[in-house]
Amino acid sequence: MMESMETMKEMMETSIFEVFEKMFYVFLEPDGVECPDYDAEALVSFSGSMNGKMSLMLSEKVTKVMVKNMLNLEEEDITDREVEDCSKEAVNMACGNFLAKLDDTERFDLSIPVFLNSPRSVLRQGDDTISLNLISDDGEVGVIMQVFSKGD
Amino acid sequence: MAFNILIVDDSRSMRSVIKKVISMSGFKVDQCLEAENGREALDLLALHWVDIILSDINMPVMSGFEMLEVLGKDSLLGSIPVVVISTEGREERMRNAFELGAKGFIKKPFLPEDIKRVLYEVIGVDDGEYGDNEGDDGDLDF
């Protein structure tokens, strides 16, 4: 079952909010401005009744806050490894949470997430993508999800 | 009674959070072992006895499901209760986990209380038996 892109966007937003609030104590809200450059990206692919990729783009500030809040570390103790680990875990949880909301009965397989130090997502925005620009006091988060039916 | 616990997750951050939640839940932990995947977990289980395993599903090298299959074929290791902690909380995945012998399922993202509740359910003793639950109002703060 393929929901409309607008419905999927709402589900994706709810999923991202839930993950960031529960696991990282970061309270995001939609941001109307155009997507700025980010400092890091975590990417996961999924396959099932539909295939796709979800990319989570993060500012340096928000990655530090995520690690600090999740692991209860001081900023000077945060290493690149922890930033990578938390970013990958965040996209994994956001994608899994979104897919469960999309169809709780359908089987989807998630790839192992990858981490990239890139200012722009490897995913390009287009008709088959859903994107979100989110902001909090702790920094910016961008999400791009590309979806395609099986066989595309 | 103190427990030996094995946490299996490819994310070091997630292992740290789970470990912290367990200790804050008032469980007396004797030894807390960590593994990055199912293969590493099985290697540790060949050397150490644990009372409960908390495992992710989606991991490189050996997944949580593959590990559950191996454990299920071993009469001794198969008796260790396994709680799956995963982003893949859909009904079908939960059913698979239980069919493979898992005793509990916690969906990520989770609240500390979720882990505490499932641990108590799976280990099957009252809160009082764990002794040092500070205040024990049921709420945990990170």
Side-chain angles (χ1 to χ4, degrees), chain B residues 3-105:
Chain B
F3 293 90
N4 292 335
I5 291 175
L6 171 60
I7 302 169
V8 192
D9 198 307
D10 55 327
S11 162
R12 194 169 66 145
S13 307
M14 192 51 71
R15 294 199 305 271
S16 297
V17 168
I18 295 168
K19 198 170 161 180
K20 195 165 124 196
V21 169
I22 292 169
S23 90
M24 288 165 58
S25 298
F27 284 88
K28 288 179 186 166
V29 178
D30 185 16
Q31 202 173 16
C32 186
L33 303 171
E34 295 182 34
E36 285 191 12
N37 56 64
R39 180 75 266 157
E40 266 190 23
L42 293 173
D43 291 344
L44 281 172
L45 289 169
L47 301 169
H48 306 271
W49 176 255
V50 301
D51 300 294
I52 188 163
I53 300 169
L54 295 105
S55 178
D56 189 13
I57 296 175
N58 192 21
M59 297 177 285
V61 184
M62 182 185 269
S63 72
F65 280 169
E66 289 168 324
M67 182 191 75
L68 274 167
E69 276 180 35
V70 175
L71 291 176
K73 289 174 187 159
D74 186 296
S75 57
L76 187 61
L77 296 179
S79 66
I80 302 170
V82 179
V83 173
V84 171
I85 304 181
S86 176
T87 57
E88 303 193 48
R90 292 178 301 284
E91 276 177 25
E92 179 256 356
R93 294 297 255 183
M94 289 172 72
R95 198 169 49 245
N96 286 352
F98 287 118
E99 281 168 4
L100 287 169
K103 297 286 183 262
F105 200 107

Side-chain angles (χ1 to χ4, degrees), chain A residues 80-144:
Chain A
D80 290 347
R81 183 177 168 181
E82 276 131 6
V83 167
E84 176 175 338
D85 204 34
C86 279
S87 303
K88 289 197 293 191
E89 198 56 42
V91 77
N92 194 38
M93 283 188 280
C95 192
N97 198 354
F98 164 75
L99 293 171
K101 283 184 176 25
L102 186 69
D103 190 342
D104 194 34
T105 59
E106 188 67 47
R107 177 181 173 147
F108 289 99
D109 291 313
L110 268 69
S111 70
I112 303 293
V114 292
F115 180 79
L116 304 158
N117 275 307
S118 55
R120 293 267 169 199
S121 175
V122 293
L123 300 184
R124 292 282 159 256
Q125 294 191 41
D127 291 343
D128 59 351
T129 61
I130 299 166
S131 62
L132 293 171
N133 298 323
L134 307 167
I135 193 160
S136 76
D137 293 341
D138 302 311
E140 299 82 27
V141 173
V143 190
I144 299 181

Side-chain angles (χ1 to χ4, degrees), chain A residues 3-20:
Chain A
E3 300 283 350
S4 73
M5 295 296 255
E6 197 51 44
T7 307
M8 284 200 282
K9 186 172 180 172
E10 284 167 19
M11 287 177 183
M12 193 166 83
E13 193 173 78
T14 307
S15 303
I16 300 282
F17 288 169
E18 204 175 314
V19 168
F20 274 77

